[in-house]
Amino acid sequence: MPELRFIGGYPEYMRESIEVVNRTRPKRMEQPRAMTKEEREEVLKLHPDYAPGGKRKIRIGQNKGDIAPNEVVDLLEAYPLIQPGEIDLGKVDYETDILIIGGGLAGTTAALWANDSGIPKGKILLTNKLRHGDSNSMMAEGGTQAADRPNDSPAIHFIDAYGGGHFTNKRDVLRALVEDAPFIIKWLEGLGAMFDKNEDGYFEEKWGGGTCRKRMHACRDYTGLEELRVIRDEFRSREIPVLEFYPAIELLTDEGGKVVGAILWNMETEEYKVVKAKATILATGGFGRLHIRGFATTNHYGATCDGVVMAYRAGAKLRDTDTVQYHPTGAAFPQQIVGLLLTEKLRSSGAQPVNKRGEAFVFPLEPRDVEASALIRECYVRNNGITTPTGMKGVWLDTPRIDLINGEGYLERSFPGMVRMFKRFGIDMIKDPVLVFPTLHYQNGGVEIDPQARTNVEGLFVAGEVSGGVHGKNRLMGNSTLDCMVFGRRAGIFAAQYVKKGVRVGKLGLNHVERYVKELKEAGIRTDRRSPMLLPDYRGKAVLARMIDIF
Amino acid sequence: MAERKINVIDEIKKASRSVTTGIEEKDIEHWVEIYIMGKAYKVPAALTIMQAMEYAGYRFVRGCGCRAGFCGACSTVYRKKGEYRLQTAMACQTRVEDGMFLVQIPFSPAEKPSYDLGREKPEPSVFLKYFPEIARCVSCNTCTKACPQDLEVMDYIQAALRGDFRAVADGSFDCIQCGLCAIRCPAEIVHYHVAQLGRRMYGKYLNPLEKNAEQRVKEIEEGRFKEEMDRLLKATDEELERIYAEREREPD
Ligand SMILES: Cc1cc2nc3c(=O)[nH]c(=O)nc-3n(C[C@H](O)[C@H](O)[C@H](O)COP(=O)(O)OP(=O)(O)OC[C@H]3O[C@@H](n4cnc5c(N)ncnc54)[C@H](O)[C@@H]3O)c2cc1C
Ligand code: SF4
Ligand code: SF4
Ligand code: FES
């Protein structure tokens, strides 16, 4: 095959279509109308989450009979990484009041508020699988919702989220989310987070898909990075103990079934450590790296569903495991960034999905599932997509339209991260559109919590993406960074309260794991699958075929 | 119709294979040779350094976080065959090139001073109080050249010396704390920690506190919305569906 010729970062054959997009731009000032209910229902049949196949019933545990994606059920119906008998629980390596597992926005916020609620820093331990902060939180681009403008209210926020969640959200938990939101923004501001503000000092608030008010608070397109690095800096300033490259691989329970700590594993020396804790806060994030239905993902390297697996073995109830969120606009080109997120804020600022003929075919701010389905239909049913050299299909996201609407320089100023990412691969998104396709984005359900971030298992608190309930079956943009901080804070506060009331920690054990293994066997589940997964494996097939384990 | 839908998902799965299950040799047309810590490997030309190392058989524990250019975990240094220049890059955001000799720097040792923002005042001296070493900057610009985010790193260090909070905050805003500047600096400055203090001081003290959020927090504390929320919590789903359908979108 001859070398492909690239012009402005795109192969020559894609340029033709780009020229059409550039030419038709002035004619596309009016947006296509939003779909009717019937139209939505029709297109949604193509959505990876609703199209047949891909899911099955969970056969054991609390949620037996519930539906979940095959990839998740595979991990739930798998054997533990350790044999309970081979672990010596007699020697405790760390004894603490509160163990926090996972250091994204949820876990780090929990640590600060546990400390603020009277737990001394030395009695908190945060452990993380990767470095502290390497997480989905770091990557949030779009923003955080909070109903703080005079024409907005917690009630309107509630309604937006409840409708967006297809009326399945846990209402009392959702209430906590919307009522705490303005406080969280103020708290972050007080810690020194730099939210975008206009000249008069008011937040510059943007649209998010599915909301009827502008309430998205952003820090350019590095919102999560700014929020987390500020919170983490505060965490480090307070010198709260932290472990890195030390994933939890199993929770510990005592005779009464309370969660009383965890087993950690040093990823480099492969040694295990035993943590005894009065309360445990699980904040391990989502599951994008399971590549559900074979989709590329926006998620970080460690998003492998570990928390759900560990909590489930300890008897925690899950909910809304049957839905998965795909983001309508992941990068489809170039190969190096396939799956990575192009924030919804691009569309709320004027970028328009456009097919290969230069036609705007969908209202840009439909709910995520509708928007994603419309893109899939355009590519795979109507054949109006553009095929990349590696065989991916996508449609254009007309980014130059942003400056056309907001004035020159706006795109570069508001989306420096995005512009930089494409520039690295020779593409100028200010002048040319970029190619997009839906990508696996968010774990809607998870471990069920109440407004105090408690689970049905005593001693186990849960916050952030690993939790279930607040978003029901579909999360709106900007509600999950918020969720992390609202329930991270609540987990910290209520775990502290729980500890201060006095907790009698019994004998550390893995009875729940033994019970779970027995149940697996009784259900006739014979497999060599092991979980939690900890990390995905992307090694080349050729190398794996010749790998021998001798050292 | 149902069959057709299953096909769509299967087609998408097939099209995404290269980023979900690892790359297969037969799908590759263009190759380059790179040297990972001195060892030569033939890898597909279209990959990032990170994907290429995986293709070559590495499974990351360190040196890999977000895989998207946000977390700063994948700092890499390399030289190209026949070039004297030592270059820096983020492995997840840089395409491999023929003849790259590369190694990752998965950790940069640097202590962060503790401070209580509430007790500090936004005075220029705060930078020197916690980072006296910034006075040793020799203006060599090595930090700027090392920065994978293309920040004017030296400029923001100079701004810190002058006590110009806004310039530090603005100039460093896109910093992903990868540590490459600090590893290269002859004056042993830890730029990204200096920047972090600057941004927080600016955010807290020099950017006026927003009034709407403050007002709303007060209203919520006073129970202004309590009744309405209580009602929503008790309403039937039909009522809520109606309210949802009748929402009025504020004008653009
Ligand atoms: C690209 C992208 C953009 C997004 N944009 C937005 C947005 O604009 N607005 C919004 O509201 N939301 C957004 N989201 C969603 C939001 O960022 C996440 O849902 C949220 O930040 C999750 O935070 P978390 O603290 O629950 O989990 P994470 O931030 O993922 O943190 C979990 C941490 O736990 C660690 N961990 C995992 N397993 C273990 C284990 N076994 N032991 C120890 N540690 C473990 C992980 O390594 C990780 O560091 C976005 C998400 C992505 C991926
Ligand atoms: S590398 Fe160090 S000494 Fe050189 S300009 Fe940067 S801060 Fe100054
Ligand atoms: S300023 Fe330093 S730490 Fe920040 S991104 Fe640039 S090189 Fe990395
Ligand atoms: S892995 Fe996060 S910046 Fe490369």
Side-chain angles (χ1 to χ4, degrees):
Chain A
M1 266 224 11
E3 279 282 340
L4 279 175
R5 248 169 51 88
F6 283 82
I7 306 166
Y10 287 108
E12 221 170 349
Y13 77 87
M14 285 164 101
R15 282 245 70 103
E16 262 172 59
S17 174
I18 293 178
E19 293 323 317
V20 178
V21 173
N22 286 342
R23 225 175 23 244
T24 52
R25 186 166 303 121
K27 285 184 246 157
R28 283 185 274 106
M29 285 319 282
E30 198 156 320
Q31 298 281 25
R33 65 168 175 81
M35 283 186 222
T36 62
K37 195 157 173 251
E38 292 69 36
E39 287 169 330
R40 280 185 179 180
E41 275 162 16
E42 183 54 35
V43 75
L44 279 174
K45 291 180 188 159
L46 285 168
H47 194 272
D49 210 31
Y50 312 131
K55 291 177 196 171
R56 64 176 197 264
K57 275 192 185 148
I58 304 169
R59 283 181 288 177
I60 64 161
Q62 287 277 339
N63 292 71
K64 191 164 159 177
D66 283 6
I67 303 282
N70 286 329
E71 294 80 357
V72 172
V73 181
D74 281 349
L75 293 181
L76 295 177
E77 297 183 355
Y79 287 84
L81 297 171
I82 48 167
Q83 306 285 343
E86 71 187 4
I87 303 287
D88 170 17
L89 296 173
K91 181 173 165 280
V92 171
D93 298 284
Y94 301 94
E95 196 168 337
T96 184
D97 279 355
I98 300 183
L99 169 67
I100 301 168
I101 304 172
L105 275 171
T108 313
T109 303
L112 293 184
W113 283 94
N115 187 224
D116 283 341
S117 310
I119 305 294
K121 66 177 185 199
K123 285 286 173 189
I124 302 171
L125 176 65
L126 188 148
T127 190
N128 206 50
K129 177 161 65 181
L130 301 168
R131 299 185 315 170
H132 180 195
D134 294 353
S135 60
N136 279 359
S137 297
M138 228 17 149
M139 306 157 82
E141 296 163 17
T144 300
Q145 288 199 37
D148 51 14
R149 287 165 59 242
N151 73 346
D152 202 355
S153 77
I156 305 178
H157 189 177
F158 181 98
I159 287 292
D160 281 345
Y162 197 60
H166 310 315
F167 307 95
T168 56
N169 317 45
K170 217 173 149 176
R171 289 193 201 173
D172 53 348
V173 181
L174 178 56
R175 176 184 191 158
L177 182 86
V178 300
E179 285 187 339
D180 283 3
F183 173 85
I184 288 294
I185 296 292
K186 223 179 110 49
W187 172 66
L188 280 167
E189 210 193 8
L191 287 173
M194 289 169 56
F195 285 106
D196 297 346
K197 292 181 182 169
N198 61 24
E199 298 98 62
D200 302 327
Y202 290 103
F203 293 129
E204 221 177 272
E205 298 187 34
K206 286 267 183 282
W207 285 112
T211 68
C212 68
R213 293 287 185 279
K214 298 185 205 171
R215 69 168 81 88
M216 201 66 63
H217 301 65
C219 315
R220 304 188 195 176
D221 64 347
Y222 284 118
T223 308
L225 173 71
E226 171 64 356
E227 290 172 343
L228 184 50
R229 70 188 173 190
V230 162
I231 292 176
R232 185 181 57 187
D233 188 63
E234 180 65 19
F235 174 99
R236 287 177 175 161
S237 274
R238 295 195 199 177
E239 298 171 335
I240 298 170
V242 60
L243 297 171
E244 297 183 317
F245 301 98
Y246 254 118
I249 54 172
E250 214 65 78
L251 298 173
L252 292 169
T253 50
D254 69 4
E255 308 88 334
K258 283 201 297 286
V259 169
V260 287
I263 299 176
L264 314 184
W265 185 62
N266 182 330
M267 295 191 96
E268 275 135 349
T269 64
E270 305 189 352
E271 162 199 26
Y272 70 85
K273 297 273 185 200
V274 176
V275 185
K276 177 177 175 182
K278 292 180 184 155
T280 302
I281 299 174
L282 195 64
T284 49
F287 65 18
R289 289 286 154 189
L290 304 187
H291 293 299
I292 293 177
R293 301 218 89 172
F295 270 66
T297 186
T298 59
N299 284 195
H300 85 289
Y301 189 44
T304 52
C305 203
D306 301 353
V308 167
V309 171
M310 293 186 285
Y312 197 59
R313 284 185 186 148
K317 261 204 220 105
L318 312 179
R319 60 172 283 162
D320 301 318
T321 50
D322 56 330
T323 69
V324 176
Q325 186 170 88
Y326 295 80
H327 196 287
T329 55
F333 183 85
Q335 167 70 19
Q336 297 89 345
I337 56 171
V338 166
L340 301 194
L341 182 72
L342 287 141
T343 169
E344 188 168 299
K345 209 171 122 212
L346 287 164
R347 276 174 290 134
S348 51
S349 305
Q352 212 176 33
V354 173
N355 66 21
K356 70 174 174 198
R357 289 205 295 270
E359 298 155 349
F361 58 90
V362 62
F363 177 63
L365 291 172
E366 293 282 3
R368 283 190 174 167
D369 48 359
V370 176
E371 190 82 15
S373 308
L375 264 64
I376 291 173
R377 176 169 67 188
E378 206 62 18
C379 290
Y380 284 90
V381 179
R382 295 183 173 163
N383 278 320
N384 284 331
I386 295 94
T387 306
T388 72
T390 53
M392 288 277 304
K393 283 186 193 191
V395 295
W396 298 113
L397 183 65
D398 190 12
T399 45
R401 193 172 176 277
I402 294 178
D403 277 0
L404 196 63
I405 288 174
N406 301 281
E408 221 171 284
Y410 185 87
L411 180 55
E412 183 151 37
R413 218 171 36 247
S414 307
F415 301 93
M418 254 337 53
V419 171
R420 175 179 293 117
M421 180 162 97
F422 280 97
K423 203 172 110 199
R424 282 182 175 135
F425 301 105
I427 293 171
D428 181 356
M429 70 188 298
I430 299 171
K431 286 214 215 79
D432 287 332
V434 292
L435 203 67
V436 295
F437 191 75
T439 177
L440 172 58
H441 191 48
Y442 187 77
Q443 172 184 320
N444 290 317
V447 183
E448 178 165 350
I449 57 169
D450 71 2
Q452 304 193 352
R454 291 179 303 199
T455 64
N456 62 311
V457 181
E458 198 186 332
L460 181 64
F461 297 76
V462 171
E465 193 166 342
V466 60
S467 75
V470 67
H471 309 296
K473 296 197 188 297
N474 182 47
R475 168 198 65 116
L476 296 186
M477 169 198 172
N479 271 351
S480 59
T481 45
L482 175 62
D483 154 21
C484 292
M485 293 180 280
V486 166
F487 293 100
R489 170 171 172 267
R490 284 171 173 255
I493 293 173
F494 293 111
Q497 243 176 47
Y498 168 77
V499 165
K500 284 196 286 191
K501 269 199 303 221
V503 181
R504 211 195 63 79
V505 175
K507 191 161 170 280
L508 304 189
L510 285 162
N511 292 343
H512 63 286
V513 176
E514 279 169 44
R515 242 191 342 267
Y516 196 84
V517 167
K518 198 160 146 255
E519 229 187 303
L520 282 167
K521 288 191 178 138
E522 279 166 9
I525 298 167
R526 264 178 279 281
T527 170
D528 49 17
R529 286 191 307 266
R530 297 263 180 284
S531 63
M533 180 176 174
L534 304 182
L535 292 174
D537 190 352
Y538 298 121
R539 287 176 292 187
K541 297 256 168 20
V543 186
L544 286 174
R546 299 182 77 87
M547 204 167 268
I548 45 177
D549 193 5
I550 52 175
F551 186 63
Chain B
M1 188 66 190
E3 220 173 40
R4 168 75 193 144
K5 271 163 227 149
I6 295 174
N7 284 344
V8 167
I9 300 291
D10 281 349
E11 279 172 45
I12 295 171
K13 186 172 185 166
K14 218 162 66 202
S16 322
R17 231 174 26 209
S18 67
V19 288
T20 56
T21 60
I23 288 165
E24 291 184 52
E25 223 166 302
K26 63 175 171 41
D27 297 333
I28 306 301
E29 288 156 26
H30 306 295
W31 298 84
V32 292
E33 190 162 56
I34 62 167
Y35 301 82
I36 303 171
M37 294 180 276
K39 269 187 205 158
Y41 295 92
K42 201 175 106 188
V43 298
L47 302 186
T48 60
I49 294 174
M50 179 171 283
Q51 292 165 336
M53 286 181 72
E54 289 173 329
Y55 178 83
Y58 284 78
R59 190 175 185 188
F60 292 108
V61 170
R62 287 193 185 248
C64 176
C66 64
R67 303 179 73 99
F70 287 94
C71 76
C74 63
S75 307
T76 302
V77 295
Y78 66 93
R79 273 199 171 88
K80 289 209 299 208
K81 224 177 199 155
E83 282 185 10
Y84 70 90
R85 265 195 331 143
L86 183 69
Q87 304 195 58
T88 53
M90 302 317 289
C92 70
Q93 293 288 294
T94 311
R95 199 188 309 220
V96 282
E97 288 175 58
D98 206 34
M100 263 184 175
F101 284 76
L102 59 91
V103 64
Q104 281 199 312
I105 310 210
F107 179 77
S108 66
E111 216 171 317
K112 192 198 89 76
S114 287
Y115 38 75
D116 179 350
L117 221 57
R119 295 218 181 122
E120 299 299 337
K121 290 198 193 69
E123 281 159 3
S125 58
V126 72
F127 286 112
L128 280 161
K129 174 170 164 198
Y130 288 106
F131 304 100
E133 63 279 7
I134 58 174
R136 299 172 55 210
C137 171
V138 295
S139 306
C140 66
N141 213 26
T142 310
C143 49
T144 304
K145 280 190 240 156
C147 180
Q149 293 287 83
D150 301 324
L151 302 178
E152 296 294 333
V153 188
M154 180 179 82
D155 291 358
Y156 83 60
I157 291 298
Q158 293 293 335
L161 262 172
R162 293 193 309 273
D164 181 344
F165 288 94
R166 172 188 273 273
V168 176
D170 255 351
S172 72
F173 190 82
D174 298 0
C175 172
I176 54 173
Q177 312 192 331
C178 69
L180 281 166
C181 49
I183 288 283
R184 299 283 283 142
C185 174
E188 290 141 331
I189 291 164
V190 183
H191 314 64
Y192 52 97
H193 286 335
V194 179
Q196 180 70 71
L197 173 65
R199 282 192 307 272
R200 284 189 65 190
M201 291 299 283
Y202 179 75
K204 185 173 175 69
Y205 291 112
L206 296 144
N207 207 348
L209 285 185
E210 211 257 3
K211 295 193 198 73
N212 281 337
E214 200 165 341
Q215 174 66 19
R216 184 51 47 82
V217 170
K218 218 185 296 149
E219 290 167 357
I220 291 173
E221 278 168 4
E222 287 164 359
R224 264 274 295 276
F225 304 98
K226 186 170 175 304
E227 237 172 84
E228 198 181 2
M229 292 301 300
D230 287 345
R231 247 199 334 271
L232 289 178
L233 246 68
K234 283 195 228 100
T236 61
D237 265 343
E238 290 70 52
E239 270 175 83
L240 292 179
E241 274 179 45
R242 187 183 46 77
I243 300 176
Y244 182 66
E246 287 169 2
R247 289 174 311 164
E248 257 181 61
R249 198 167 182 269
E250 82 172 280
D252 275 294

